[in-house]
Amino acid sequence: MTSFIYNPALIRQKQLEVEFLSFFHGNGFDIIDLPVVETFDWPAMTEDDLRLMPQRESWVQNGTVHALRHDWTNAIVRYLHKYKIDAERAVYSGPVFHSGSETRQLGMEVFSESTARQQEGLSLMIGFMDEQMNDRPRTAVISHYALLPMILGEEKVADPAIQRALSQRSTSALRQLLGDHPLLDLISDQPEAQVHKLRSAFPEIRKVLGELSGWEETLREAGIEAVYPDITALPSQSYYDGVFIRLYGSGRTTPIASGGQYTARSKAFGMGIFY
Amino acid sequence: MITIALSKGRQLKDFLAYLDQNGHPRWHGALKAAQRELLVETSGIRFLLVKGDDVPTYVEEGIADLGITGSDILAEYNADVNELLELPFGYCHFAIASKEELPEYGTIATKYVNYSRSVFERSEKPVKIIKLNGSVELAAVIGMADAIVDIVQSGETLRMNGLQERVRLDEISARLIANKHAFFTKSAEIRSFMNELKVN
């Protein structure tokens, strides 16, 4: 016997997925899909794969590691290491699994070096959220992963103790580890004032700060009320190498969407909504 | 208005003494006057008085923007918060304590399971860890465990129960933690609070 339970929330979720895919398809994005179960060869696992594995739902069968999809951009980057995607812009929807729980992701990727094309993707994303989702993005935190290596040097950024102190914004720990480094002076300031100070303290990073300003402008034009720069952000995966953006709804403490610039085969920008 | 979660008990006493010595009569007065209240508001700050173990949860969930808790709690619970400052109070340390000195301690009773595991992994010694939520000393007194891992301030509780500190482990002090989102959205208030704390 089959039972039927009418669940308006479930229907709305399915409708949202269709609306999202249709909206982006109507704006020239190709709809893509990838298997929810990913396979890994032991010897070919990268440091990124290994770092993420404890958070993934994984199992070993016939000598091969299988894992449920953890993040769409991650799955696409892994796919791009093996195969080509013909589309220049792609859109997707589907479940992702983190530390024992399932969420759903709606996302888009722009496989283009053109910042203007990437920013157009971001504007469409915010436009869709504004129109179709209950939880509209109000604030954004924006970082650029090229900043810290330029400020501190590659060696210091690779130090696990410094990485921990940076990720926790621990002034005390950073003071112990870095001494009187100008970064300490910077992070004791308001985030809004940090970029200005950074520009005068490190003239060589003006180009990166210029890129950051361009993205900030895109966010503001798309209706984001407050944009906070985060100069001490560290990438969760090594392929993220440019701007990274987290979008927050009103009163929310976890991002409703996040994404950034990465390199896989070529430069790209991807962003996913968690719902 | 910012909301700050504070540990009740010994750490609150240490915080009050610090406020008293460093010229914060309004905060000190309001917190000291609180009898059984768990919520105290003064000068644009809402203090939540909660159990020490729960401070990181209140901050991580965004109920509180800031929190003051011990580094022992942060070492045990892997909370997703910003650990902004080491504060100059709430000093104590982790220690291994036992009734008799033994060459190796095979069974350990503790409230700090994750921390203890990391200590014994560092020393490459296999150990059985028994989780207890309180009166940990009793486990070593009655032979349930060879030793305990616990926080020690004066050592008085150990002495009263016939135990001795055998190995001094990591130092502990109070820490100021922040919600990762509030760190940006309430940066002005958070920095103002940090400046007022006058921590060098």
Side-chain angles (χ1 to χ4, degrees):
Chain A
M1 194 176 89
T2 33
S3 61
F4 175 77
I5 302 167
Y6 175 69
N7 182 341
L10 185 61
I11 303 252
R12 177 67 198 127
Q13 179 190 305
K14 301 288 180 195
Q15 277 171 341
L16 187 68
E17 275 186 51
V18 173
E19 282 162 10
F20 181 78
L21 296 174
S22 305
F23 173 79
F24 274 90
H25 186 56
N27 280 285
F29 283 67
D30 289 324
I31 298 171
I32 60 166
D33 197 12
L34 287 173
V36 74
V37 176
E38 298 177 27
T39 56
F40 298 79
D41 294 326
W42 281 114
M45 278 216 226
T46 64
E47 272 188 35
D48 281 339
D49 292 337
L50 291 168
R51 196 178 311 123
L52 207 56
M53 208 47 87
Q55 298 167 40
R56 302 187 71 138
E57 304 305 305
S58 60
W59 66 97
V60 179
Q61 199 171 12
N62 302 327
T64 303
V65 181
H66 301 269
L68 296 180
R69 180 172 51 225
H70 178 270
D71 172 75
W72 267 92
T73 300
N74 180 275
I76 288 167
V77 169
R78 295 189 64 251
Y79 183 89
L80 283 169
H81 282 140
K82 281 188 169 179
Y83 312 108
K84 274 186 183 174
I85 291 180
D86 289 331
E88 195 209 312
R89 307 199 294 173
V91 62
Y92 56 81
S93 75
V96 287
F97 300 84
H98 296 201
S99 310
S101 64
E102 178 186 348
T103 49
R104 302 188 74 78
Q105 219 178 337
L106 302 171
M108 61 88 202
E109 310 286 319
V110 178
F111 306 111
S112 164
E113 289 199 8
S114 159
T115 309
R117 295 284 276 171
Q118 296 176 359
Q119 288 171 348
E120 192 189 333
L122 172 64
S123 301
L124 286 170
M125 196 75 164
I126 296 170
F128 177 83
M129 291 165 87
D130 269 344
E131 292 289 321
Q132 304 291 341
M133 299 190 73
N134 296 331
D135 211 357
R136 293 174 54 204
R138 304 280 182 169
T139 59
V141 176
I142 180 168
S143 43
H144 198 304
Y145 293 138
L147 278 179
L148 269 181
M150 293 172 98
I151 297 169
L152 287 179
E154 299 278 356
E155 202 179 316
K156 282 200 171 77
V157 174
D159 181 326
I162 294 177
Q163 283 189 355
R164 185 171 187 278
L166 285 168
S167 70
Q168 303 214 322
R169 277 88 185 176
S170 173
T171 315
S172 311
L174 285 171
R175 190 167 288 123
Q176 281 171 17
L177 293 160
L178 298 174
D180 282 335
H181 195 281
L183 183 70
L184 268 301
D185 190 30
L186 275 169
I187 61 170
S188 61
D189 248 320
Q190 308 279 358
E192 300 90 321
Q194 290 174 4
V195 172
H196 179 66
K197 232 176 172 178
L198 203 54
R199 195 169 278 126
S200 50
F202 298 89
E204 65 277 18
I205 61 175
R206 278 193 183 157
K207 185 175 169 287
V208 176
L209 294 178
E211 285 176 37
L212 209 55
S213 301
W215 284 90
E216 188 179 334
E217 207 177 307
T218 304
L219 287 164
R220 290 194 191 279
E221 280 170 7
I224 303 294
E225 292 155 14
V227 182
Y228 301 96
D230 178 11
I231 62 169
T232 58
L234 290 162
S236 57
Q237 295 279 284
S238 66
Y239 47 80
Y240 283 116
D241 54 6
V243 162
F244 198 88
I245 297 160
R246 293 174 184 84
L247 299 175
Y248 294 86
S250 178
R252 288 268 298 255
T253 55
T254 50
I256 49 176
S258 68
Q261 291 177 310
Y262 60 91
T263 303
R265 215 174 258 272
S266 63
K267 297 277 180 194
F269 175 81
M271 178 168 263
I273 302 168
F274 312 103
Y275 73 104
Chain B
M1 168 83 76
I2 56 168
T3 303
I4 304 173
L6 298 177
S7 292
K8 289 188 294 185
R10 190 174 55 197
Q11 200 176 68
L12 182 60
K13 281 185 193 157
D14 285 357
F15 182 47
L16 284 171
Y18 179 78
L19 292 178
D20 198 26
Q21 286 159 17
N22 289 276
H24 291 288
R26 276 172 304 164
W27 299 351
H28 180 268
L31 286 167
K32 190 141 189 167
Q35 300 289 317
R36 285 172 179 267
E37 297 96 315
L38 301 175
L39 200 154
V40 177
E41 277 190 27
T42 177
S43 328
I45 296 181
R46 180 191 293 129
F47 291 104
L48 306 179
L49 303 177
V50 303
K51 198 163 176 280
D53 298 17
D54 294 335
V55 170
T57 309
Y58 278 88
V59 175
E60 189 175 347
E61 294 296 322
I63 307 303
D65 306 304
L66 291 173
I68 293 178
T69 190
S71 54
D72 56 322
I73 303 295
L74 298 172
E76 179 62 14
Y77 304 103
N78 192 22
D80 192 19
V81 295
N82 288 336
E83 194 181 316
L84 301 181
L85 277 181
E86 189 175 332
L87 300 171
F89 55 87
Y91 291 116
C92 52
H93 61 274
F94 278 117
I96 299 175
S98 69
K99 202 155 71 170
E100 290 169 30
E101 182 151 26
L102 299 172
E104 285 192 2
Y105 300 101
T107 308
I108 297 290
T110 186
K111 177 185 156 188
Y112 300 94
V113 173
N114 296 326
Y115 173 74
S116 302
R117 190 170 293 124
S118 72
V119 165
F120 285 92
E121 276 172 8
R122 263 186 271 159
S123 60
E124 300 176 348
K125 302 258 170 61
V127 69
K128 179 183 173 186
I129 296 173
I130 299 170
K131 160 89 178 168
L132 291 175
N133 291 313
S135 306
V136 179
E137 294 82 5
L138 187 62
V141 173
I142 61 170
M144 180 184 181
D146 298 335
I148 61 167
V149 169
D150 206 1
I151 58 172
V152 178
Q153 195 169 39
S154 65
E156 189 58 24
T157 313
L158 293 180
R159 277 191 293 279
M160 284 173 67
N161 287 286
L163 304 180
Q164 268 192 45
E165 182 175 321
R166 305 294 174 189
V167 183
R168 190 180 177 106
L169 300 168
D170 295 275
E171 300 300 319
I172 294 167
S173 68
R175 302 293 159 98
L176 179 71
I177 59 173
N179 174 270
K180 287 194 162 180
H181 182 50
F183 179 74
F184 293 102
T185 56
K186 294 197 175 174
S187 62
E189 291 109 312
I190 288 175
R191 276 167 176 76
S192 156
F193 181 77
M194 284 167 74
N195 291 337
E196 286 212 45
L197 277 179
K198 296 176 188 163
V199 178
N200 294 319

